[in-house]
Coordinates of all heavy atoms in Angstrom, one line a residue:
F1 N 31.7 -41.7 46.5 CA 32.1 -41.7 45.1 C 31.4 -40.5 44.4 O 32.0 -39.8 43.6 CB 32.0 -43.0 44.4 CG 32.5 -42.8 43.0 CD1 34.0 -42.9 42.7 CD2 31.8 -42.7 41.9 CE1 34.5 -42.7 41.5 CE2 32.3 -42.4 40.7 CZ 33.7 -42.5 40.5
A2 N 30.0 -40.4 44.7 CA 29.3 -39.5 43.9 C 29.9 -38.0 44.1 O 30.0 -37.2 43.0 CB 27.8 -39.4 44.4
A3 N 30.4 -37.7 45.3 CA 31.1 -36.4 45.5 C 32.4 -36.2 44.8 O 32.7 -35.2 44.2 CB 31.2 -36.3 47.1
R4 N 33.1 -37.3 44.8 CA 34.3 -37.3 44.1 C 34.2 -37.1 42.5 O 34.9 -36.4 41.9 CB 35.1 -38.7 44.2 CG 35.7 -38.8 45.7 CD 36.4 -40.1 45.7 NE 37.6 -40.2 44.9 CZ 37.9 -41.2 44.4 NH1 37.5 -42.3 44.5 NH2 39.2 -41.2 43.4
Y5 N 33.0 -37.7 42.0 CA 32.8 -37.7 40.6 C 32.4 -36.2 40.2 O 32.9 -35.5 39.3 CB 31.7 -38.7 40.2 CG 31.2 -38.6 38.8 CD1 32.0 -38.4 37.7 CD2 29.9 -38.5 38.5 CE1 31.6 -38.3 36.3 CE2 29.4 -38.5 37.3 CZ 30.3 -38.4 36.1 OH 29.9 -38.2 34.9
A6 N 31.5 -35.6 41.1 CA 31.0 -34.4 40.9 C 32.2 -33.3 40.9 O 32.2 -32.4 40.2 CB 30.0 -33.8 41.9
A7 N 33.1 -33.5 41.9 CA 34.2 -32.6 42.0 C 35.2 -32.7 40.7 O 35.6 -31.7 40.2 CB 35.1 -33.0 43.1
A8 N 35.3 -33.9 40.1 CA 36.1 -34.1 38.9 C 35.4 -33.3 37.8 O 36.1 -32.7 37.0 CB 36.4 -35.5 38.7
S9 N 34.1 -33.4 37.8 CA 33.3 -32.6 36.7 C 33.5 -31.3 36.6 O 33.5 -30.5 35.7 CB 31.9 -33.3 36.7 OG 31.8 -34.7 36.5
V10 N 33.4 -30.7 38.0 CA 33.6 -29.3 38.2 C 35.0 -28.8 37.9 O 35.1 -27.8 37.3 CB 33.2 -28.9 39.6 CG1 33.5 -27.5 39.9 CG2 31.6 -29.2 39.8
A11 N 36.0 -29.6 38.3 CA 37.3 -29.3 38.1 C 37.7 -29.1 36.5 O 38.6 -28.3 36.3 CB 38.4 -30.1 38.8
K12 N 37.1 -30.1 35.8 CA 37.6 -30.0 34.3 C 36.3 -30.2 33.6 O 36.0 -31.3 33.0 CB 38.5 -31.1 34.0 CG 39.9 -30.8 34.7 CD 41.0 -31.7 34.1 CE 42.4 -31.3 34.8 NZ 43.5 -32.2 34.2
P13 N 35.5 -29.2 33.4 CA 34.1 -29.3 32.7 C 34.3 -29.3 31.2 O 33.3 -29.5 30.4 CB 33.5 -28.1 33.2 CG 34.5 -27.0 33.5 CD 35.7 -27.8 34.0
D14 N 35.4 -29.0 30.8 CA 35.8 -28.8 29.3 C 36.8 -29.8 28.9 O 38.0 -30.0 29.5 CB 36.2 -27.4 29.0 CG 36.2 -27.1 27.5 OD1 36.8 -27.8 26.7 OD2 35.5 -26.2 27.1
A15 N 36.7 -30.5 27.8 CA 37.5 -31.5 27.4 C 39.1 -30.8 26.9 O 39.9 -31.5 27.0 CB 37.1 -32.2 26.1
H16 N 39.0 -29.5 26.6 CA 40.3 -28.9 26.3 C 41.2 -28.8 27.4 O 42.4 -28.7 27.2 CB 40.0 -27.5 25.8 CG 39.2 -27.4 24.5 ND1 38.0 -27.3 24.3 CD2 39.8 -27.3 23.2 CE1 37.6 -27.3 23.0 NE2 38.6 -27.3 22.3
Q17 N 40.7 -29.1 28.6 CA 41.5 -29.0 29.8 C 42.2 -30.4 30.0 O 43.0 -30.5 31.0 CB 40.7 -28.6 31.0 CG 40.1 -27.3 31.0 CD 39.1 -27.1 32.1 OE1 37.9 -27.5 32.1 NE2 39.4 -26.4 33.0
I18 N 41.9 -31.4 29.3 CA 42.3 -32.8 29.5 C 43.3 -33.2 28.5 O 42.9 -33.3 27.4 CB 41.1 -33.7 29.6 CG1 40.1 -33.2 30.7 CG2 41.5 -35.1 29.9 CD1 38.9 -34.0 30.7
R19 N 44.4 -33.7 29.1 CA 45.5 -34.1 28.1 C 45.3 -35.8 27.9 O 45.3 -36.3 28.8 CB 46.9 -33.9 28.6 CG 47.2 -32.4 28.8 CD 48.3 -32.2 29.6 NE 48.2 -32.8 31.0 CZ 49.2 -33.0 31.9 NH1 50.5 -32.7 31.6 NH2 49.1 -33.6 33.0
I20 N 45.2 -36.1 26.6 CA 45.0 -37.5 26.4 C 46.2 -38.0 25.7 O 46.6 -37.7 24.6 CB 43.7 -37.7 25.5 CG1 42.4 -37.2 26.2 CG2 43.5 -39.2 25.1 CD1 42.0 -38.0 27.4
G21 N 46.8 -39.1 26.2 CA 47.9 -39.8 25.5 C 47.3 -40.8 24.7 O 46.7 -41.8 25.1
R22 N 47.4 -40.7 23.3 CA 46.9 -41.7 22.3 C 47.8 -42.8 22.0 O 48.9 -42.7 21.5 CB 46.5 -40.9 21.0 CG 46.1 -41.8 19.9 CD 44.7 -42.4 20.1 NE 44.0 -42.8 18.9 CZ 44.0 -44.0 18.6 NH1 44.5 -45.0 19.4 NH2 43.3 -44.4 17.5
L23 N 47.4 -44.0 22.4 CA 48.2 -45.1 22.1 C 47.5 -45.9 21.0 O 46.3 -46.1 20.8 CB 48.1 -46.1 23.4 CG 48.7 -47.6 23.3 CD1 50.2 -47.5 23.1 CD2 48.5 -48.3 24.6
R24 N 48.4 -46.3 20.1 CA 48.1 -47.0 18.9 C 48.6 -48.4 19.0 O 49.9 -48.6 19.5 CB 48.6 -46.4 17.5 CG 47.9 -45.0 17.4 CD 48.3 -44.4 16.0 NE 47.7 -43.0 15.9 CZ 46.4 -42.9 15.5 NH1 45.7 -43.9 15.2 NH2 46.0 -41.7 15.5
V25 N 47.8 -49.5 18.7 CA 48.1 -50.9 18.9 C 48.0 -51.6 17.6 O 47.1 -51.5 17.0 CB 47.1 -51.5 19.9 CG1 47.6 -53.0 20.2 CG2 47.1 -50.7 21.2
S26 N 49.0 -52.1 17.2 CA 49.3 -53.0 15.9 C 48.0 -53.9 15.8 O 47.7 -54.5 16.9 CB 50.6 -53.6 15.8 OG 50.7 -54.5 16.8
G27 N 47.6 -54.2 14.6 CA 46.4 -55.0 14.4 C 45.1 -54.5 14.5 O 44.2 -55.3 14.4
T28 N 44.9 -53.2 14.9 CA 43.6 -52.6 15.1 C 43.0 -52.3 13.8 O 43.6 -51.7 12.7 CB 43.9 -51.2 15.9 OG1 44.4 -51.5 17.1 CG2 42.4 -50.6 16.2
D29 N 41.7 -52.6 13.8 CA 40.9 -52.3 12.5 C 41.1 -50.8 12.2 O 40.8 -50.0 13.1 CB 39.5 -52.7 12.7 CG 38.6 -52.5 11.5 OD1 38.5 -51.5 11.0 OD2 37.9 -53.6 11.2
A30 N 41.3 -50.4 11.0 CA 41.4 -49.1 10.6 C 40.2 -48.2 10.9 O 40.3 -47.0 11.3 CB 41.8 -48.9 9.2
A31 N 39.1 -48.8 10.7 CA 37.8 -48.1 10.9 C 37.6 -47.7 12.5 O 37.2 -46.7 12.8 CB 36.6 -48.9 10.5
I32 N 38.1 -48.6 13.3 CA 38.1 -48.4 14.8 C 39.1 -47.2 15.1 O 38.6 -46.4 15.9 CB 38.3 -49.7 15.6 CG1 37.0 -50.6 15.3 CG2 38.5 -49.4 17.1 CD1 37.2 -52.0 16.0
D33 N 40.2 -47.3 14.6 CA 41.2 -46.3 14.9 C 40.6 -44.9 14.5 O 40.8 -44.0 15.1 CB 42.5 -46.6 14.3 CG 43.5 -47.2 15.3 OD1 43.4 -47.0 16.5 OD2 44.6 -47.8 14.8
R34 N 40.0 -44.8 13.3 CA 39.5 -43.6 12.8 C 38.4 -43.2 13.8 O 38.3 -41.9 14.0 CB 39.0 -43.8 11.4 CG 40.1 -43.9 10.3 CD 39.6 -43.7 8.8 NE 38.5 -44.8 8.5 CZ 38.9 -45.9 7.9 NH1 40.1 -46.2 7.6 NH2 38.0 -46.8 7.5
S35 N 37.6 -44.0 14.2 CA 36.5 -43.7 15.1 C 37.0 -43.0 16.5 O 36.5 -42.1 16.8 CB 35.5 -44.9 15.4 OG 34.8 -45.2 14.2
V36 N 38.0 -43.8 16.9 CA 38.6 -43.1 18.2 C 39.2 -41.8 17.9 O 39.0 -40.8 18.7 CB 39.7 -44.2 18.6 CG1 40.6 -43.5 19.8 CG2 39.0 -45.4 19.2
D37 N 40.0 -41.6 16.9 CA 40.5 -40.3 16.5 C 39.5 -39.2 16.4 O 39.6 -38.2 16.9 CB 41.5 -40.5 15.3 CG 42.7 -41.3 15.6 OD1 43.1 -41.5 16.8 OD2 43.3 -41.7 14.7
R38 N 38.4 -39.5 15.6 CA 37.4 -38.5 15.4 C 36.7 -38.2 16.7 O 36.6 -37.0 16.9 CB 36.3 -39.3 14.4 CG 35.3 -38.3 14.1 CD 34.4 -38.9 12.9 NE 33.8 -40.2 13.2 CZ 34.2 -41.3 12.8 NH1 35.2 -41.3 11.7 NH2 33.6 -42.5 13.0
V39 N 36.4 -39.3 17.6 CA 35.8 -38.8 18.7 C 36.6 -38.0 19.6 O 36.1 -37.1 20.2 CB 35.3 -40.2 19.5 CG1 35.0 -39.8 20.9 CG2 34.0 -40.7 18.8
L40 N 37.9 -38.2 19.8 CA 38.8 -37.4 20.6 C 38.8 -36.1 20.1 O 38.9 -35.3 20.8 CB 40.2 -38.1 20.6 CG 40.3 -39.5 21.3 CD1 41.7 -40.0 21.3 CD2 39.9 -39.3 22.8
K41 N 38.9 -35.9 18.8 CA 39.0 -34.6 18.1 C 37.7 -33.8 18.3 O 37.7 -32.7 18.8 CB 39.2 -34.7 16.7 CG 39.5 -33.3 16.0 CD 39.8 -33.6 14.5 CE 39.9 -32.1 13.8 NZ 40.1 -32.4 12.3
E42 N 36.5 -34.4 18.1 CA 35.3 -33.7 18.3 C 34.9 -33.5 19.7 O 34.2 -32.4 19.8 CB 34.2 -34.7 17.6 CG 34.2 -34.8 16.1 CD 33.1 -35.6 15.4 OE1 32.3 -36.1 16.2 OE2 33.3 -35.9 14.2
T43 N 35.4 -34.3 20.6 CA 35.2 -33.9 21.9 C 36.0 -32.7 22.4 O 35.6 -31.9 23.3 CB 35.4 -35.1 22.9 OG1 34.7 -36.2 22.4 CG2 35.0 -34.8 24.3

């Protein structure tokens, strides 16, 4: 597994290369949703 993980890190070393589907779930605390959105953006 260590080799597989190293290969994945080399293949996409930058977050801009990774497409993230953002799922919103009803009933989520607004502060938690904001934290998730902020982290995805800042990364």
